[in-house]
Amino acid sequence: MDNSTCQAYQDEISSLEEEIKLLAGKYEDNQQESTFFSDEEILMAMKSFKEEFRGDYEGYESPSDLEAQLESLEKDLSFVMKFTGLQFTSHSKKTVERTGNRAVQKHRLSGNCHSLSFQLEFQLIEVQNKDKVSVVVTDLSIILESGEDSDVSKFVSNVEEHGNLLMFFRSLSSYAQWCEHRSSTFLHFKNKYPDVVALPEGRQGDCLTLRSPAASRLELLIVWKLHLDEDGRTTPVLDLLTKVPEQVLEQNTATVGKAPAHFRSLLLLFGIEAAIENLIRAVGLQE
């Protein structure tokens, strides 16, 4: 056996001896820790755990009671989801720090609210002080599929800056409900007046076009915007734009010019759906 081979074996033996010493030290430490508690103390601890475990389920006489409670909670959750339109499709969390009374978790959350999809990523810092727990949201990042709406972008930026998740979900629910209401209204008139009403941007767009069968070049455009301010309040803003042939414009300049103001008056008097319906009838578009 040459010297190099012999040296390799000696190195391997030395490594194994070190590992044996390390394991022996851990075994001694475990043995010493186990002597800190007597058999009586261990039995008392087990008894206390069992009593605590029973206390968690006190009041439930059988598994059927637990099933009834679970069913009730599921019904409550279903009601909240229907009421707010919020549905969570995925959630993951990872503890990135835990020291003493402080814990930091990273959360990823995705879901949808009516027709709007969203993704959230944030850190949750939880600090336990005596009987009080304080929670702070940091590093909040939001992706909301709502097109290039500048109002929505400003609102999202404001929420991210302040880490206000409650305001985000509350405002998202209201905004998404308005989006759904606008979409349903547009679709209703499209189905009711298929030869008159057109949706150039689809049912999720913000405009509805009316074309007169009698005057093919006469066109009215109803624009329905949803203004979302930085505090999360949603306000519907509707306006009427006109596209009129030159001959008609020359003869009815005053009437055409007053059309947007008349439409705004209809909105105040009758509301959105009735105002659109009356506009259709007023210009003689109903067959």
Side-chain angles (χ1 to χ4, degrees):
M1 183 182 295
D2 56 27
N3 291 334
S4 61
T5 304
C6 183
Q7 182 62 43
Y9 282 128
Q10 288 179 352
D11 292 342
E12 183 68 21
I13 291 170
S14 298
S15 177
L16 289 172
E17 288 176 343
E18 287 295 325
E19 187 173 351
I20 290 170
K21 288 180 181 178
L22 180 61
L23 292 173
K26 288 184 177 181
Y27 175 76
E28 290 178 1
D29 291 341
N30 289 336
Q31 287 295 99
Q32 290 176 1
E33 289 179 3
S34 66
T35 60
F36 293 158
F37 303 98
S38 65
D39 293 342
E40 184 180 354
E41 289 173 323
I42 293 174
L43 289 172
M44 289 181 64
M46 291 176 65
K47 182 180 179 182
S48 174
F49 173 77
K50 289 180 180 178
E51 290 176 351
E52 183 177 351
F53 181 79
R54 286 196 201 99
D56 291 338
Y57 292 91
E58 188 176 355
Y60 299 105
E61 298 178 358
S62 65
S64 61
D65 292 333
L66 290 174
E67 291 177 2
Q69 178 72 3
L70 178 60
E71 184 178 348
S72 175
L73 291 172
E74 288 176 345
K75 287 181 179 178
D76 290 344
L77 178 60
S78 177
F79 171 77
V80 171
M81 290 169 63
K82 288 179 181 178
F83 183 74
T84 64
L86 286 166
Q87 289 186 327
F88 299 107
T89 55
S90 68
H91 172 245
S92 65
K93 67 177 180 179
K94 179 182 179 182
T95 301
V96 295
E97 180 185 336
R98 187 178 294 277
T99 54
N101 64 340
R102 186 175 186 269
V104 180
Q105 290 182 331
K106 188 172 184 179
H107 292 256
R108 289 181 179 176
L109 184 67
S110 63
N112 55 73
C113 186
H114 295 293
S115 60
L116 298 181
S117 298
F118 60 86
Q119 297 177 34
L120 304 178
E121 189 171 313
F122 57 92
Q123 284 197 154
L124 205 61
I125 301 176
E126 184 178 302
V127 180
Q128 176 83 45
N129 292 319
K130 295 182 180 179
D131 297 331
K132 184 179 179 181
V133 178
S134 61
V135 178
V136 178
V137 175
T138 65
D139 300 334
L140 176 60
S141 175
I142 300 173
I143 298 176
L144 182 60
E145 296 181 5
S146 60
E148 300 297 326
D149 194 311
S150 60
D151 287 345
V152 175
S153 298
K154 290 178 182 177
F155 166 71
V156 168
S157 297
N158 185 49
V159 171
E160 288 177 336
E161 181 181 352
H162 295 90
N164 195 334
L165 283 175
L166 179 61
M167 183 173 74
F168 171 73
F169 286 119
R170 183 178 62 243
S171 302
L172 175 63
S173 177
S174 174
Y175 180 78
Q177 283 177 8
W178 269 108
C179 288
E180 192 70 14
H181 177 55
R182 178 178 61 185
S183 174
S184 299
T185 303
F186 280 176
L187 189 60
H188 163 74
F189 286 113
K190 172 62 179 172
N191 292 335
K192 189 172 183 179
Y193 305 102
D195 298 329
V196 174
V197 175
L199 304 176
E201 299 176 353
R203 62 173 295 181
Q204 302 298 336
D206 58 15
C207 61
L208 178 147
T209 301
L210 306 177
R211 293 187 177 93
S212 170
S216 58
R217 295 176 61 190
L218 174 63
E219 185 175 298
L220 301 178
L221 181 66
I222 298 174
V223 180
W224 185 348
K225 296 287 187 180
L226 296 174
H227 174 61
L228 180 65
D229 64 25
E230 294 186 4
D231 295 325
R233 291 184 292 266
T234 301
T235 306
V237 180
L238 286 87
D239 206 353
L240 178 68
L241 304 178
T242 59
K243 182 180 179 182
V244 186
E246 249 179 69
Q247 309 168 4
V248 177
L249 185 61
E250 288 173 0
Q251 298 171 2
N252 301 278
T253 302
T255 302
V256 172
K258 292 178 181 178
H262 289 323
F263 179 64
R264 286 191 287 272
S265 297
L266 287 174
L267 289 170
L268 292 173
L269 289 172
F270 302 110
I272 295 173
E273 294 86 351
I276 296 175
E277 186 84 34
N278 277 280
L279 178 64
I280 293 173
R281 293 175 178 176
V283 295
L285 297 180
Q286 186 179 24
E287 295 181 356

